[in-house]
């Protein structure tokens, strides 16, 4: 039996962990035993509990309840708690997902105890070290033993940093194994899409059934804490909604929500346009989000996960950033980088509404990434 300790903490990690845990339960329960540790980085019910319930993720054996703080305090407390859990669980490997502070803490705590790190979603790069996620990715990849990349670009990025697949096992952090296995989030979209469309009440509740609308999300510090950027994005949303007479639905991450509430109380013009058709709603569950994505005409986002889900749902995506890790989406023409520029966002969304793209080749695998990853974990030699 292989004993894995899985570290999760932030919303996108619950979604990825759901796919792997489901396949462990269904196909690998005789060979893999998983214990889950939740750092508590995301703690609001709408950011955490609802995902565990809806996606049937096993109850975490550990919850560190770390919450929000400066990066140093948040990550430091996580390392301390994860280290204690590793010492008491003695896992064969520690699984970390993506690029959050919880990923970094898990990778550092495990590698310093010489426990193999299994990094899922390895090799992605934005080449922008101002983003905390970029630091987290680079550091986690360099201390990992098994690296699972969802795209060929990810594998190439790793080789440019000297991380290449070793032809001889056992793999270790001095002799890394790099595997191209597709994207767990695609597994989940395929698994949950029909259920979401059949059961989620959100389109009916928002009166969106059979009506065109745009879906938008904004949560990155560069777009929320930088007020000029946030205002520029809000102006773009107002303008598109008025010019195209289309509703824009914006589910709010708690950080964005608290900033919007503050700006509302200051009465800024961007939040006070009576003809705007922009509607803010609270953060939604995974099934509601999939449902909203499936019906949208265009998706505007600064989230990495939502960019990919747009692709899975065959929707064009306007990326509210200057660069992206998911370069294949931009290269295909089905996505465009606009940053926070009002003019660029309005033009891009308008073009996609007029002539939506039609071809979405399978760049994120076949929807069986979890099985492929677990086949490697259970058949390769690693230490
Ligand atoms: C984190 C990840 C980011 C990911 C995002 C997904 C890092 C560095 N960033 O960013 O890569 O895209 O999750 O959502 O790890 N807050 C709440 N309730 C919560 C969670 C957060 O109110 O349940 C608020 C707090 O005010 C906090 C702020 O959101 O200060 C930021 O939370 P934090 O977890 O530090 O980072 P995210 O922005 O969520």
């Amino acid at each position: 039996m292989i004993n894995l300790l899985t570290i999760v903490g932030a919303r996108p990690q619950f979604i990825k962990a759901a796919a792997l845990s489901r396949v462990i339960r269904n196909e690998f329960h005789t060979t893999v035993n998983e214990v889950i540790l939740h750092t508590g980085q995301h703690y609001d019910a709408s950011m955490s509990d609802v995902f565990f319930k809806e996606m049937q993720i096993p109850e975490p054996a550990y919850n560190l309840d770390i919450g929000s703080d400066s990066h140093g305090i948040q990550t430091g407390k996580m390392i301390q708690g994860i280290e204690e859990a590793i010492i008491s669980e003695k896992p064969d490997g520690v699984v970390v997902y993506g690029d959050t502070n919880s990923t970094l803490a898990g990778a550092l705590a495990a590698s310093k105890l010489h426990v193999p790190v299994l990094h899922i979603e390895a090799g992605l790069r934005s080449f922008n070290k101002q983003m905390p996620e970029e630091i987290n990715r680079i550091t986690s990849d360099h201390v990992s033993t098994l690296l699972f990349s969802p795209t060929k670009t990810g594998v190439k990025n790793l080789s440019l940093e000297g991380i290449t697949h070793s032809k001889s096992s056992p793999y270790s952090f001095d002799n890394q194994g790099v595997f191209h296995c597709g994207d767990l989030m695609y597994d989940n979209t395929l698994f949950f899409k029909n259920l979401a469309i059949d059961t989620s009440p959100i389109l009916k509740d928002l009166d969106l059934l059979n009506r065109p609308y745009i879906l938008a999300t904004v949560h990155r510090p560069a777009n929320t804490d930088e007020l000029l950027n946030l205002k520029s994005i809000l102006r773009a949303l107002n303008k598109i909604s008025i010019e195209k007479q289309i509703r824009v639905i914006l589910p709010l991450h708690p950080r964005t929500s608290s900033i919007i509430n503050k700006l509302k109380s200051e009465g800024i013009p961007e939040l006070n346009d009576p003809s705007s058709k922009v509607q803010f709603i609270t953060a939604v569950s995974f099934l509601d989000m999939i449902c909203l994505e499936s019906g949208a005409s265009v998706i505007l986002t600064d989230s990495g996960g939502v960019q990919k889900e747009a692709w899975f749902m065959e929707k064009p995506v306007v990326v509210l950033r200057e660069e992206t890790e998911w370069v294949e989406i931009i290269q295909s023409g089905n996505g465009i980088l606009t940053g926070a520029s009002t003019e660029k966002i309005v033009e891009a969304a308008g073009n996609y509404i007029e002539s939506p793209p039609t071809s979405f080749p399978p760049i994120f695998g076949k929807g069986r990434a979890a099985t492929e990853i677990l086949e490697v974990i259970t058949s390769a030699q690693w230490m």
Side-chain angles (χ1 to χ4, degrees):
M1 189 64 100
I2 297 172
N3 289 307
L4 298 178
L5 177 66
T6 295
I7 311 298
V8 294
R11 183 168 58 178
Q13 289 160 340
F14 310 141
I15 296 170
K16 290 163 201 164
L20 203 79
S21 296
R22 185 172 61 242
V23 176
I24 292 177
R25 207 162 49 235
N26 294 342
E27 298 173 35
F28 289 84
H29 56 277
T30 55
T31 45
V32 176
N33 175 49
E34 182 188 39
V35 169
I36 296 182
L37 179 149
H38 186 342
T39 62
Q41 177 171 353
H42 285 174
Y43 45 92
D44 283 358
S46 68
M47 296 291 282
S48 177
D49 299 358
V50 64
F51 291 86
F52 279 82
K53 282 198 202 93
E54 199 172 70
M55 304 179 84
Q56 296 179 1
I57 307 167
E59 184 80 13
Y62 297 83
N63 192 328
L64 305 182
D65 282 325
I66 302 287
S68 307
D69 217 315
S70 71
H71 285 255
I73 294 176
Q74 190 184 52
T75 314
K77 284 184 183 166
M78 287 179 193
I79 293 175
Q80 185 179 358
I82 295 170
E83 183 178 72
E84 284 166 16
I86 294 174
I87 290 169
S88 90
E89 290 293 326
K90 301 186 184 55
D92 298 304
V94 170
V95 177
V96 296
Y97 292 100
D99 56 19
T100 71
N101 290 343
S102 299
T103 315
L104 176 69
L108 288 180
S111 58
K112 291 213 169 192
L113 290 170
H114 305 167
V115 174
V117 176
L118 285 54
H119 186 198
I120 297 180
E121 213 172 78
L124 282 310
R125 297 289 182 266
S126 64
F127 300 99
N128 173 3
K129 288 192 185 134
Q130 300 290 322
M131 291 176 70
E133 291 83 1
E134 186 75 350
I135 311 279
N136 295 344
R137 293 180 192 120
I138 294 172
T139 311
S140 301
D141 282 338
H142 281 259
V143 297
S144 290
T145 288
L146 299 182
L147 297 95
F148 299 98
S149 178
T151 60
K152 286 185 188 154
T153 306
V155 175
K156 192 170 133 230
N157 289 339
L158 289 171
S159 76
L160 293 173
E161 288 173 22
I163 303 177
T164 51
H165 180 64
S166 168
K167 295 212 164 46
S168 63
S169 55
Y171 304 111
S172 67
F173 61 14
D174 292 319
N175 186 47
Q176 294 164 299
V178 178
F179 303 88
H180 176 209
C181 284
D183 199 304
L184 287 176
M185 289 184 62
Y186 186 40
D187 297 19
N188 269 340
T189 300
L190 293 180
F191 188 84
F192 286 110
K193 184 176 170 190
N194 289 338
L195 178 70
I197 292 170
D198 290 346
T199 61
S200 163
I202 194 144
L203 296 184
K204 191 159 177 283
D205 289 355
L206 295 175
D207 195 19
L208 292 170
L209 282 170
N210 302 318
R211 290 175 200 271
Y213 63 92
I214 289 175
L215 176 68
T217 77
V218 184
H219 81 282
R220 298 238 166 241
N223 284 334
T224 53
D225 302 1
E226 301 287 338
L227 287 189
L228 284 179
N229 286 347
L230 183 58
K231 288 180 185 175
S232 179
I233 292 170
L234 291 173
R235 274 197 300 278
L237 300 182
N238 287 338
K239 209 158 180 252
I240 300 162
S241 79
I242 295 164
E243 282 178 7
K244 298 288 174 192
Q245 280 302 298
I246 189 166
R247 285 170 66 194
V248 177
I249 307 297
L250 186 57
L252 293 177
H253 181 288
R255 170 205 268 120
T256 321
S257 180
S258 64
I259 295 172
I260 296 261
N261 285 339
K262 191 166 157 278
L263 292 176
K264 264 188 190 154
S265 68
E266 288 168 13
I268 63 159
E270 287 82 356
L271 290 169
N272 211 7
D273 185 339
S275 41
S276 167
K277 290 160 122 9
V278 177
Q279 185 175 352
F280 301 106
I281 59 173
T282 50
V284 297
S285 75
F286 182 67
L287 293 185
D288 287 348
M289 190 62 183
I290 292 210
C291 211
L292 284 169
E293 289 164 349
S294 74
S297 305
V298 182
I299 297 177
L300 278 59
T301 189
D302 60 4
S303 150
V306 178
Q307 285 174 52
K308 286 188 291 181
E309 285 166 357
W311 181 276
F312 306 153
M313 294 291 177
E314 308 203 337
K315 305 292 176 184
V317 62
V318 177
V319 181
L320 308 171
R321 288 175 49 192
E322 302 292 345
E323 74 287 302
T324 178
E325 307 76 48
W326 309 107
V327 288
E328 292 85 352
I329 296 179
I330 307 302
Q331 285 159 358
S332 75
N334 299 355
I336 183 161
L337 294 167
T338 59
S341 153
T342 305
E343 293 71 32
K344 286 187 188 169
I345 298 168
V346 172
E347 189 190 346
N351 288 342
Y352 281 140
I353 290 173
E354 297 307 320
S355 49
T358 50
S359 164
F360 291 79
I363 49 181
F364 293 104
K366 303 188 188 82
R368 54 187 308 279
T371 304
E372 289 180 30
I373 290 169
L374 284 159
E375 279 167 359
V376 172
I377 292 176
T378 52
S379 64
Q381 279 190 301
W382 48 277
M383 49 182 270

